Amino acid sequence: MSRFEIYSPEGLRVDGRRWNELRSFNCSINTHPNAADGSSYLEQGNNKIITLVTGPQEPASRSQVNTKQASLSVTINLTKFAKMERSKSSHKNERRTLEWQTSLVRTFEKNLMLHLYPRTSIDVQVHVLQLDGGILGAMLNGITLALIDAGIAMYDFVSGVSVGLYDTTPLLDLNSLEENAMSSVTIGTVGKSEKLSLLLVEDKVPLDRLESVMAIGIAGTHRIRDLMDKELRKHGKTRVENLTN
Amino acid sequence: MAKDIEISNSESKFILEALKLKQRLDGRACDQFRDVEIELGEAYGDVTVTMGKTKVQCRISCEVAQPYEDRPFEGLFHITTETTPMAGAQFENGNNTGEEEVLISRMIEKAVRRSGALDVEGLCIIAGSKCWSLRADVHFLDCDGGLIDASCIAVMTALLHFKKPDVTVLGEKVTVHPVDEREPVSLGVLHVPVCVTFSFFNPDDTEENIKGEHNGEISIIDASLKEELLRDGVLTVTLNKNREVVQVSKAGGLPMDALSLIDCCHKAYGIVEKITDQIQRAIKQDSIARNQYAHILSSENARES
């Protein structure tokens, strides 16, 4: 059916990667210092997302005040021009978007030290400028970076990636062409551990193959964690230099 | 706005302490699914599933409609979930955009519709102009946890039970034969996905959970409402009898070790096998009960085979 060869016998994928290779990963933090308390810009392949974190701040209304811990909210703005074809709707109240938002909130609720900021709210906005598969994983990475930039206490990095299963070969970090052609698994790992904060399997995966798919995913998320860590340290270094000069 | 149900401190402490000793309020073991009761109604496609105090009803109906332009060979299939305060005070009337409601309806949709459990091509009558539009209405009558699991069983049983009126096509003319005139036909169900929900509790502090090697998290199957309110994390696994993982959803919550999650999937498979058998048995019994006079009414002669 497809004109493309998803995974060639030589072991190459549509964009020329091998099965265990990530897409190009670029990130920067503190991109919008005036607009928000923490911000990040992330490119994972052709995914391009901007994340803004405001807070901890006073909640907009008194009814939202939680006396025990900060209340976290995530808003996803999937722009109309994010896909190949311009979409008519703003995706704002789509169930899929709502589900993503809840998943992200629930993931970060357990990985942030929210109890340190009672009676406050932390608001995260994710703007998806370009969409190319594995967006949930990319959003996890983007939010992690922005939260770190905002200086909110976290236990560890949360890094995410998607893995597909093509016949019997697991393929790491799917782009949208691959994502449409096979079943995909999104994994969100905490730090360098094997603890999964988020695990979403969509479409059929044989039960006995799940383990190998997850193993590749965990390795991928650890790699992404290292890449993010490198960028953060670089950023920190330049900041210190600017201060001392 | 609907009021969230809250649980008193002493009760929550009691439940959590009991869980640490592997005891649950209703006396079940940690990996024990509640007994499922499947009740088939008079009409085709009317199913009530009871699991403990949880009660879910599913009703399937169909009508002739026009297929989508980009999919002329496929019929339409929608699942609507109705949450009313009847199920519990935590649900609002006429508002299905709450977090919990969206998650429940998305999960059922993914488990049943997107996994291709129903053969939608079999709903086509005339390509591009006429098809069956099938609708599954799920009503939550009572909620004591495990709504996703119960509604998935209800929808799948209802799809297996439902029969659509027979049609004959002559050129462009479609005749729908009423059920009392001609035997209605079953739907094409390709596989039976069953959801199993695990709830996770953290007996230690958060740091131990994230950094520790201990993996002391408690996981229980098929939580009741009180356990659901107290849990730190949730995992819903949807499997079918062919050892295929249809859908797994662990949307945040307590970080869990990858191996223990896989272990959960394997545990779920045993339960899925059992429930699938139970569904098939219920359907079979119903069809025997409906056709008990068939052999008297039949004009066929007994044949040597």
Side-chain angles (χ1 to χ4, degrees), chain B residues 11 22 44 48 51 90 127 227 236 281:
Chain B
E11 190 168 17
K22 297 202 182 313
Y44 286 119
T48 313
M51 272 164 51
Q90 71 271 43
E227 290 162 338
T236 304
R281 234 178 306 132

Side-chain angles (χ1 to χ4, degrees), chain B residues 4-302:
Chain B
D4 279 338
I5 336 171
E6 277 182 41
I7 213 164
S8 69
N9 284 345
S10 46
E11 190 168 17
S12 68
K13 211 163 186 182
F14 177 73
I15 294 175
L16 291 177
E17 286 300 320
L19 276 174
K20 283 185 199 168
L21 303 170
K22 297 202 182 313
Q23 295 291 327
R24 292 170 73 174
L25 274 194
D26 44 10
R28 274 185 291 157
C30 284
D31 54 356
Q32 194 183 348
F33 207 81
R34 279 177 285 190
D35 284 336
V36 181
E37 206 178 293
I38 301 173
E39 223 176 291
L40 297 170
E42 182 78 17
Y44 286 119
D46 176 14
V47 175
T48 313
V49 169
T50 320
M51 272 164 51
K53 278 190 192 137
T54 300
K55 201 167 196 176
V56 173
Q57 198 229 6
C58 179
R59 180 76 166 91
I60 302 220
S61 50
C62 69
E63 60 181 5
V64 178
Q66 195 170 5
Y68 290 128
E69 266 170 39
D70 50 338
R71 298 193 164 159
F73 301 107
E74 292 179 11
L76 313 179
F77 176 42
H78 296 286
I79 304 174
T80 54
T81 43
E82 193 87 7
T83 44
T84 60
M86 174 169 43
Q90 71 271 43
F91 299 111
E92 234 172 300
N93 210 353
N95 180 6
N96 287 330
T97 52
E99 256 180 38
E100 205 58 37
E101 285 96 322
V102 170
L103 282 189
I104 292 175
S105 63
R106 272 285 288 176
M107 199 80 74
I108 301 167
E109 177 121 348
K110 271 196 221 164
V112 180
R113 209 165 83 98
R114 288 195 36 193
S115 73
L118 180 72
D119 174 25
V120 277
E121 286 182 8
L123 298 175
C124 178
I125 303 171
I126 299 172
S129 67
K130 278 189 180 65
C131 69
W132 284 111
S133 163
L134 211 67
R135 193 188 148 94
D137 288 283
V138 183
H139 298 275
F140 302 119
L141 304 180
D142 205 348
C143 170
D144 187 23
L147 278 184
I148 292 173
D149 304 5
S151 27
C152 186
I153 298 173
V155 172
M156 285 322 298
T157 319
L159 284 176
L160 284 165
H161 188 231
F162 184 70
K163 288 187 172 163
K164 61 180 193 289
D166 198 10
V167 285
T168 40
V169 182
L170 254 174
E172 281 289 290
K173 199 169 165 266
V174 177
T175 323
V176 178
H177 303 284
V179 179
D180 49 358
E181 222 170 72
R182 203 186 269 201
E183 187 66 13
V185 282
S186 301
L187 300 170
V189 175
L190 302 175
H191 65 107
V192 182
V194 176
C195 298
V196 179
T197 303
F198 295 80
S199 302
F200 303 124
F201 296 88
N202 189 16
D204 311 309
D205 56 350
T206 329
E207 221 134 312
E208 171 64 32
N209 164 246
I210 289 177
K211 300 279 183 197
E213 299 281 301
H214 177 49
N215 291 333
E217 296 88 355
I218 304 166
S219 79
I220 58 168
I221 290 180
D222 186 25
S224 68
L225 184 61
K226 277 181 185 159
E227 290 162 338
E228 267 185 14
L229 289 170
L230 292 172
R231 69 186 168 197
D232 297 308
V234 53
L235 164 83
T236 304
V237 186
T238 313
L239 293 157
N240 61 23
K241 239 187 138 179
N242 315 332
R243 287 187 84 80
E244 279 174 325
V245 179
V246 170
Q247 186 252 128
V248 173
S249 162
K250 182 187 180 303
L254 198 68
M256 286 293 288
D257 188 56
L259 283 177
S260 59
L261 290 179
I262 290 188
D263 193 46
C264 286
C265 293
H266 285 279
K267 264 188 203 161
Y269 182 69
I271 295 168
V272 168
E273 253 186 331
K274 230 187 270 168
I275 292 179
T276 316
D277 283 343
Q278 197 189 344
I279 294 176
Q280 305 283 15
R281 234 178 306 132
I283 296 289
K284 208 168 173 186
Q285 268 170 10
D286 181 73
S287 83
I288 291 172
R290 278 172 197 270
N291 295 325
Q292 56 181 329
Y293 300 115
H295 64 283
I296 307 174
L297 296 172
S298 168
S299 59
E300 267 178 45
N301 295 322

Side-chain angles (χ1 to χ4, degrees), chain A residues 68 95-96 98-100 102-103 105-108 110-111 113 115 155-156 190 193-208 210-212 214 218, chain B residues 99-100 102-103 105-106 110 114-115 191 206-207 209-211 215 217 232 239 243-259 261-262 265 269:
Chain A
K68 284 197 190 114
R95 280 198 185 162
R96 193 180 53 160
L98 293 174
E99 191 198 9
W100 280 343
T102 345
S103 308
V105 168
R106 291 191 179 177
T107 308
F108 283 98
K110 290 284 172 199
N111 289 299
M113 299 184 190
H115 59 274
Y155 288 100
D156 212 330
V190 183
S193 67
E194 296 209 337
K195 298 241 170 164
L196 302 186
S197 209
L198 183 119
L199 173 69
L200 286 175
V201 180
E202 299 191 345
D203 294 332
K204 286 175 214 156
V205 176
L207 184 54
D208 307 301
L210 196 61
E211 200 169 337
S212 64
M214 271 159 72
I218 290 171
Chain B
E99 256 180 38
E100 205 58 37
V102 170
L103 282 189
S105 63
R106 272 285 288 176
K110 271 196 221 164
R114 288 195 36 193
S115 73
H191 65 107
T206 329
E207 221 134 312
N209 164 246
I210 289 177
K211 300 279 183 197
N215 291 333
E217 296 88 355
D232 297 308
L239 293 157
R243 287 187 84 80
E244 279 174 325
V245 179
V246 170
Q247 186 252 128
V248 173
S249 162
K250 182 187 180 303
L254 198 68
M256 286 293 288
D257 188 56
L259 283 177
L261 290 179
I262 290 188
C265 293
Y269 182 69

